[in-house]
């Protein structure tokens, strides 16, 4: 018996029973499928995996409903709150709905005749290719098989997830899973049951699907998974809707959560990743309180405390991790201050935990100055021990390193309304921000003193920010119309000044993603695209440390001069001579090795 691709009226006659679900007769059932359903072997791997991971109260999103049996079995046996199914084959839709009616599942289940798409600029409709057997119908045209094309309405994955809020994703979409996994944000998904289709995208595509799942923190259940069907889950901290990295477009980065009797725990180790942050009074992790750098969460959930934390009365805003290094403080410790403009009513202050457990709990002068420049007019309290806070308001991370360096709308609005309102510009229009007087141990640019001499002759003030207060730095950066700088953290403060008619040139001293973050910060807060000059003959690193930020860059002086002339930062003149190799080695003094 061959499947028909022609639509027909659904039947109420029961043809098979699968895990307690009555399956009505249809042109798509043949003897083999009926027997497999009655034996519980039809889509057995998917059903077994789904029944293992779906929990009572879950919301299940099914992409590729087929005959509707898998979704119905889930709805009947796993007690989910809702199952939302999508099916592109128009001929299957009436039979799926008949199955729902026959089993009294209409209140739990819904099927939509749409294709779920991902990525930007998706069309309103896509072509779906119907094969004689519904099992092979696909968005992907197979030239070797006869198909009938139909146009199907689309809906974006993001729209579906935002409105439906699924916990579990079931996916059998005949090869479309690769494209979806490449672009979909799996935020909020705790478990996935997925069938791979290497005939559509080959072994390489299958490997890519599996790699994406692993990168998204999903772990395959070895007992329930096979070569072509995976059942995989991930820990609560990664499946929570607020567990993904901060998004400058909004999401949890734009929200606040109020926790009564919250437990705040500082780090007990000096490592980059620590067990620290905020728990609810019931001991649950608060993902919105986590600190993120790029796409990595650096503060992970901590378990029960050995000792009862002392209470801290009052109403406080969670500030996050307090860095004592200027660069990381400016770039990573200010991202939640936007809440000062959003919180209603009085607060007692802002709570931070130190980056390292042995750090002093008092603020450095530059930290106090920067908080003042950011408009903070409430106390800052740094907790060295766990405390139970009477009321803690947790705002999302609105700024930091990674994509969030452009800031959320709420953070940028707070910055625009509050930053350095009482600091007037003071200084010349040409400024070179130098690192030449910093220790070689902090990394830098070889020959920077020669660059300073050339720029000084062009009317640039040579500015060493470490010798000036934060207020003085801001005043200078506000006044400058042309800024040239050796790449470094001072440029983050320049970006915060947000001078709209300012031109900035960044001379790279290493190969690092930090340069891109700095330029994105500048563009987002001032509207100006910075010029990056990356002409390095060699990069010298210290063999005693893996930290690339401590490297020394050896510039190609002539090319830097040419780039500045062409961009209008300087006028042409006597060619800048290249560095003498002996002078370079004298500075390096055998403490560095060339890596590029």
């Amino acid at each position: 018996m061959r499947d028909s691709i022609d639509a027909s009226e659904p039947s109420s006659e029961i043809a098979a029973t699968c895990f307690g679900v009555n399956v009505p007769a249809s042109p798509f059932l043949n003897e083999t499928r009926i027997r497999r359903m009655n034996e519980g072997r039809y889509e057995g791997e998917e059903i077994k995996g789904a029944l293992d991971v779906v929990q009572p109260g879950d919301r299940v999103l099914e992409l590729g409903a087929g005959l509707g049996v898998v979704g119905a079995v889930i709805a009947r046996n796993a007690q989910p709150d809702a199952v939302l199914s999508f099916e592109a084959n128009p001929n299957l839709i009436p039979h799926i709905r008949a199955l729902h009616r026959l089993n009294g599942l209409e209140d739990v289940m819904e099927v939509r005749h749409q294709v779920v798409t991902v990525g930007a600029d998706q069309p309103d409709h896509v072509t779906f290719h119907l094969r004689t057997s519904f099992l092979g119908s696909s968005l992907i045209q197979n030239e070797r098989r006869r198909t009938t094309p139909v146009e199907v309405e689309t809906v974006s994955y993001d729209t579906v997830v935002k409105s439906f809020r699924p916990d579990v994703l079931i996916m059998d979409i005949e090869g479309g899973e690769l494209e979806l996994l490449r672009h979909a944000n799996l935020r909020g998904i705790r478990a996935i049951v997925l069938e791979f289709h290497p005939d559509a995208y080959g072994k390489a595509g299958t490997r890519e699907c599996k790699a994406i799942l692993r990168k998204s923190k999903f772990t395959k259940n070895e007992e329930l998974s096979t070569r072509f069907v995976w059942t995989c889950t991930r820990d609560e901290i990664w499946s929570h809707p607020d567990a993904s990295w901060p998004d400058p477009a909004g999401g949890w980065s734009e929200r606040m959560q109020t926790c009564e009797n919250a437990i705040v725990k500082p780090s007990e180790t000096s490592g980059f990743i620590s067990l620290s942050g905020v728990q609810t009074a019931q001991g649950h992790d608060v993902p919105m309180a986590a600190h993120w750098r790029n796409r990595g969460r650096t503060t992970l959930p901590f378990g029960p405390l050995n000792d009862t934390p002392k209470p801290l009365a009052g109403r406080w805003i969670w500030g996050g991790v307090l860095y004592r290094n200027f660069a990381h403080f400016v770039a990573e410790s200010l991202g939640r201050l936007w809440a000062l403009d959003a919180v209603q009513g009085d607060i007692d202050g802002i709570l931070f935990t130190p980056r390292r457990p042995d750090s002093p709990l008092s603020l450095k002068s530059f930290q106090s100055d920067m908080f003042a420049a950011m408009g903070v007019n409430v106390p800052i309290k740094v907790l060295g021990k766990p405390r139970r806070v009477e009321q803690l308001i947790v705002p999302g991370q609105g700024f930091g390193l990674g994509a969030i360096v452009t800031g959320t709308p709420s953070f940028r609005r707070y910055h625009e309304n509050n930053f350095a309102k009482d600091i007037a510009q003071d200084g010349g229009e040409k400024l070179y921000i130098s690192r030449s007087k910093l220790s070689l141990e902090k990394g830098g640019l070889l020959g920077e003193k020669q660059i300073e001499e050339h720029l000084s002759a062009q009317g640039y003030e040579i500015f060493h920010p470490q010798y000036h207060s934060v207020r003085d730095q801001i005043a200078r950066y506000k006044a400058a119309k042309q800024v040239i700088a050796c790449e470094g953290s001072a440029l983050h403060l320049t970006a915060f000044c947000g001078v709209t008619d300012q031109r900035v040139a960044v001379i790279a001293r290493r190969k690092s993603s930090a340069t891109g973050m700095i330029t994105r910060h500048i563009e987002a807060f001032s509207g100006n695209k910075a010029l990056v000059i990356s002409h390095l003959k060699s990069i010298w690193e210290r063999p005693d440390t893996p930290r690339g930020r401590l490297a020394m860059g050896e510039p190609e002086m002539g090319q830097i001069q040419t780039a500045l002339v062409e961009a209008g930062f300087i006028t042409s003149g006597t060619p800048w001579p290249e560095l003498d190799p002996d002078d370079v080695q004298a500075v390096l003094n055998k403490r560095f090795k060339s890596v590029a």
Side-chain angles (χ1 to χ4, degrees):
M1 174 179 175
R2 294 169 61 85
D3 296 334
S4 170
I5 63 172
D6 298 323
S8 60
E9 289 297 321
S11 170
S12 59
E13 177 189 349
I14 298 175
T17 301
C18 185
F19 288 92
V21 171
N22 293 321
V23 183
S26 77
F28 303 98
L29 293 181
N30 55 30
E31 292 180 1
T32 300
R33 287 179 194 141
I34 291 172
R35 183 176 67 254
R36 291 177 64 85
M37 288 178 185
N38 287 327
E39 295 173 351
R41 294 188 297 116
Y42 175 79
E43 301 288 11
E45 294 164 348
E46 290 182 35
I47 289 175
K48 187 176 180 181
L51 293 182
D52 185 80
V53 299
V54 176
Q55 301 171 4
D58 274 347
R59 301 177 67 82
V60 180
L61 174 61
E62 182 186 31
L63 304 183
L67 289 174
V69 174
V70 175
V73 168
I74 295 170
R76 170 68 72 199
N77 295 275
Q79 301 177 28
D81 184 62
V83 178
L84 175 60
S85 303
F86 286 84
E87 175 53 50
N89 189 331
N91 300 323
L92 293 175
I93 299 298
H95 300 283
I96 297 172
R97 289 175 176 156
L99 183 149
H100 294 174
R101 289 193 301 271
L102 181 62
N103 291 275
L105 298 174
E106 298 102 320
D107 292 341
V108 179
M109 301 196 68
E110 178 187 357
V111 62
R112 298 180 187 174
H113 178 221
Q114 292 174 314
V115 170
V116 177
T117 57
V118 288
D121 302 322
Q122 291 295 322
D124 294 333
H125 292 77
V126 294
T127 302
F128 186 74
H129 303 277
L130 296 175
R131 274 182 51 190
T132 302
S133 170
F134 79 91
L135 291 175
S137 300
S138 173
L139 291 171
I140 302 172
Q141 170 68 295
N142 190 327
E143 300 296 339
R144 295 174 298 176
R145 297 180 181 273
R146 183 173 64 84
T147 61
T148 300
V150 295
E151 293 300 303
V152 183
E153 180 185 11
T154 66
V155 61
S156 79
Y157 175 85
D158 289 343
T159 298
V160 172
V161 169
K162 184 177 181 180
S163 61
F164 184 65
R165 306 185 314 279
D167 304 290
V168 179
L169 175 62
I170 311 294
M171 186 159 41
D172 183 359
I173 47 178
E174 302 300 327
E177 59 275 1
L178 175 58
E179 187 69 10
L180 188 137
L181 288 175
R182 281 173 173 170
H183 301 288
N185 187 333
L186 298 177
R187 178 183 303 164
I189 303 295
R190 188 191 72 252
I192 294 179
V193 180
L194 164 68
E195 181 170 345
F196 305 110
H197 296 86
D199 287 346
Y201 40 65
K203 293 181 179 179
T206 303
R207 287 195 296 268
E208 184 179 349
C209 287
K210 294 177 179 179
I212 293 170
L213 291 170
R214 294 188 186 101
K215 188 174 181 180
S216 300
K217 309 296 184 181
F218 283 96
T219 300
K220 178 180 67 169
N221 184 316
E222 296 290 347
E223 294 182 359
L224 296 173
S225 300
T226 65
R227 181 181 176 188
F228 297 116
V229 176
W230 268 23
T231 296
C232 46
T233 58
R234 58 182 175 180
D235 291 341
E236 180 185 357
I237 65 167
W238 302 114
S239 60
H240 191 285
D242 298 333
S244 184
W245 49 86
D247 183 357
W252 66 266
S253 291
E254 288 267 272
R255 300 201 308 269
M256 293 187 294
Q257 177 179 345
T258 299
C259 300
E260 307 292 338
N261 293 310
I263 300 170
V264 176
K265 178 183 177 295
S267 172
E268 297 178 352
T269 64
S270 296
F272 174 64
I273 296 176
S274 65
L275 302 179
S276 59
V278 179
Q279 281 184 357
T280 65
Q282 294 74 34
H284 299 300
D285 176 54
V286 179
M288 284 177 61
H291 182 77
W292 290 80
R293 182 185 294 180
N294 296 307
R295 294 190 173 189
R297 179 173 167 169
T298 67
T299 57
L300 298 180
F302 55 93
L305 302 180
N306 294 327
D307 300 317
T308 302
K310 293 183 178 179
L312 176 63
R315 187 171 185 246
W316 300 81
I317 290 176
W318 171 242
V321 179
L322 188 73
Y323 285 81
R324 291 182 68 82
N325 169 278
F326 178 85
H328 288 287
F329 170 76
V330 172
E332 300 193 70
S333 294
L334 308 175
R336 302 177 194 270
L337 297 182
W338 65 269
L340 288 170
D341 274 359
V343 172
Q344 302 295 316
D346 295 334
I347 61 167
D348 291 279
I350 305 174
L351 295 182
F352 285 89
T353 56
R355 163 72 175 81
R356 299 179 186 276
D358 55 354
S359 297
L361 302 184
S362 58
L363 297 180
K364 286 187 172 183
S365 60
F366 77 79
Q367 292 172 319
S368 297
D369 289 349
M370 191 65 191
F371 280 129
M374 291 292 292
V376 177
N377 57 4
V378 297
I380 301 291
K381 187 175 183 63
V382 186
L383 300 180
K385 299 291 184 180
R387 301 295 292 270
R388 183 179 290 275
V389 183
E390 183 178 3
Q391 186 177 87
L392 186 67
I393 301 167
V394 180
Q397 183 179 336
F399 179 76
L401 294 180
I404 199 70
V405 78
T406 59
T408 61
S410 292
F411 183 86
R412 292 199 304 273
R413 186 163 52 250
Y414 174 84
H415 164 269
E416 183 178 352
N417 292 338
N418 295 277
F419 183 76
K421 293 302 181 182
D422 64 336
I423 302 177
Q425 64 180 48
D426 182 15
E429 293 190 355
K430 292 184 176 182
L431 194 69
Y432 177 71
I433 305 174
S434 173
R435 293 178 60 91
S436 67
K437 292 188 178 181
L438 294 176
S439 167
L440 282 181
E441 307 304 316
K442 295 188 177 182
L445 190 67
L446 294 165
E448 191 173 9
K449 290 184 178 180
Q450 289 93 314
I451 292 175
E452 292 174 5
E453 292 173 1
H454 298 311
L455 294 179
S456 182
Q458 294 273 343
Y460 280 83
E461 175 190 358
I462 309 305
F463 188 68
H464 299 277
Q466 69 271 24
Y467 297 138
H468 300 267
S469 69
V470 167
R471 289 183 64 88
D472 288 344
Q473 292 177 54
I474 292 172
R476 295 294 182 89
Y477 301 155
K478 278 187 169 185
K481 302 303 180 186
Q482 291 192 162
V483 174
I484 304 174
C486 176
E487 177 263 306
S489 59
L491 283 164
H492 280 299
L493 188 51
T494 305
F496 274 130
C497 291
V499 181
T500 56
D501 58 348
Q502 185 180 80
R503 301 181 65 228
V504 179
V506 182
I507 301 176
R509 60 185 173 89
R510 53 182 174 169
K511 291 182 178 178
S512 171
S513 60
T515 306
M517 288 191 207
I518 288 171
T519 57
R520 291 198 300 275
H521 186 190
I522 292 171
E523 185 172 1
F525 283 71
S526 69
N528 305 319
K529 191 173 181 63
L531 170 68
V532 177
I533 302 172
S534 185
H535 296 300
L536 295 172
K537 181 182 297 183
S538 297
I539 298 174
W540 300 82
E541 291 185 351
R542 286 169 46 187
D544 61 329
T545 176
R547 291 182 289 179
R549 65 182 177 84
L550 305 182
M552 297 292 294
E554 181 181 351
E556 296 181 302
M557 303 291 280
Q559 292 194 40
I560 291 176
Q561 180 189 23
T562 299
L564 289 172
V565 169
E566 290 179 347
F569 282 87
I570 62 175
T571 59
S572 58
T574 303
W576 295 6
E578 300 299 329
L579 301 181
D580 184 289
D582 292 335
D583 292 340
V584 169
Q585 290 304 318
V587 173
L588 297 175
N589 195 24
K590 298 182 179 180
R591 287 179 294 170
F592 294 79
K593 64 178 181 179
S594 177
V595 294

